[in-house]
Amino acid sequence: MAERTYMLKVAGVQRELPILDVTDKLAIAGFIMLGDVELTDACARALAARVPKETDIILTAETKGIPLAAELARCLGMKRYVVARKSVKAYMENAVWVEDRSITTKGVQQLCLDGVDIERIRGRNVLLLDDVVSTGGSMKALTELAEKAGGRVVGEACVLAEGAAAERSDIIFLEALPLFEAARQGDL
């Protein structure tokens, strides 16, 4: 376990998160839902009560949002959700893509949809979903992607709003997550 940790309670579930340096000045609590069925189920149920009623389809980014989107879709009685992929795959036809910058991903990445998923979004009310919103870079990219596909964004939802994102009134979230100062050499 990491030397520094943060105790998080969200949707009735408690987890001890490692505090990890992402730059020489900034550290974050490492929140990973992948593989955590109890946490994913509890958060999806809690978010289901808060999403806009007019939501037709959920759009999330690969990878960490996928299990949450699957469970939230199930809670809302939806048969499908859409995943924006991180690269254009050989099987994709008529793909559209946007650039995404995130504090947890080094450099610039792409988010893309193929023609089949574009048709699933076109003319529909789209809920954007992610595990954590911090700077809002991924949500901005998902918004641009949904609009390129002809969808109408009706909400942005996440489990945790990190740092200043917790002060935003335009996102749906379950708990705030603080940012931390990076550990100085010798403090660990």
Side-chain angles (χ1 to χ4, degrees), residues 62 86 98-102 105 107-111 138:
E62 192 176 49
K86 289 184 179 177
V98 298
E99 287 188 350
D100 177 22
R101 292 183 185 270
S102 167
T105 303
V108 177
Q109 68 181 2
Q110 283 187 341
L111 290 179
S138 294

Side-chain angles (χ1 to χ4, degrees), residues 148-165:
K148 276 188 170 187
R152 291 178 301 280
V153 175
V154 295
E156 298 178 15
C158 59
V159 174
L160 303 174
E162 188 172 53

Side-chain angles (χ1 to χ4, degrees), residues 4-94:
R4 299 188 306 160
T5 62
Y6 176 78
M7 193 59 68
L8 172 73
K9 187 169 185 178
V10 59
V13 178
Q14 188 167 307
R15 294 292 183 266
E16 187 174 4
L17 308 179
I19 297 176
L20 309 164
D21 292 351
V22 292
T23 70
D24 61 343
K25 296 184 192 281
L26 178 66
I28 61 171
F31 179 71
I32 307 295
M33 294 183 73
L34 287 174
D36 193 331
V37 175
E38 177 189 26
L39 180 63
T40 301
D41 290 350
C43 292
R45 284 192 310 274
L47 281 172
R50 298 181 183 191
V51 301
K53 300 289 185 225
E54 66 270 22
T55 298
D56 295 321
I57 194 145
I58 297 166
L59 173 61
T60 193
E62 192 176 49
T63 297
K64 293 190 305 181
I66 294 172
L68 180 62
E71 190 56 33
L72 181 56
R74 189 178 356 269
C75 289
L76 296 173
M78 296 177 174
K79 293 182 181 195
R80 295 205 69 94
Y81 60 94
V82 175
V83 177
R85 303 297 302 269
K86 289 184 179 177
S87 62
V88 176
K89 306 297 181 191
Y91 61 80
M92 291 181 166
E93 294 183 353
N94 304 314

Side-chain angles (χ1 to χ4, degrees), residues 92-167:
M92 291 181 166
E93 294 183 353
N94 304 314
V96 296
W97 62 89
V98 298
E99 287 188 350
D100 177 22
R101 292 183 185 270
S102 167
I103 66 167
T104 56
T105 303
K106 290 184 180 181
V108 177
Q109 68 181 2
Q110 283 187 341
L111 290 179
C112 56
L113 295 172
D114 73 353
V116 173
D117 285 331
I118 292 168
E119 289 307 312
R120 289 183 175 124
I121 290 173
R122 182 171 287 130
R124 301 190 72 203
N125 295 325
V126 182
L127 175 73
L128 307 179
L129 182 67
D130 209 348
D131 59 338
V132 179
V133 170
S134 188
T135 63
S138 294
M139 284 296 189
K140 182 179 176 190
L142 285 173
T143 297
E144 188 179 340
L145 198 56
E147 289 171 352
K148 276 188 170 187
R152 291 178 301 280
V153 175
V154 295
E156 298 178 15
C158 59
V159 174
L160 303 174
E162 188 172 53
E167 298 169 14

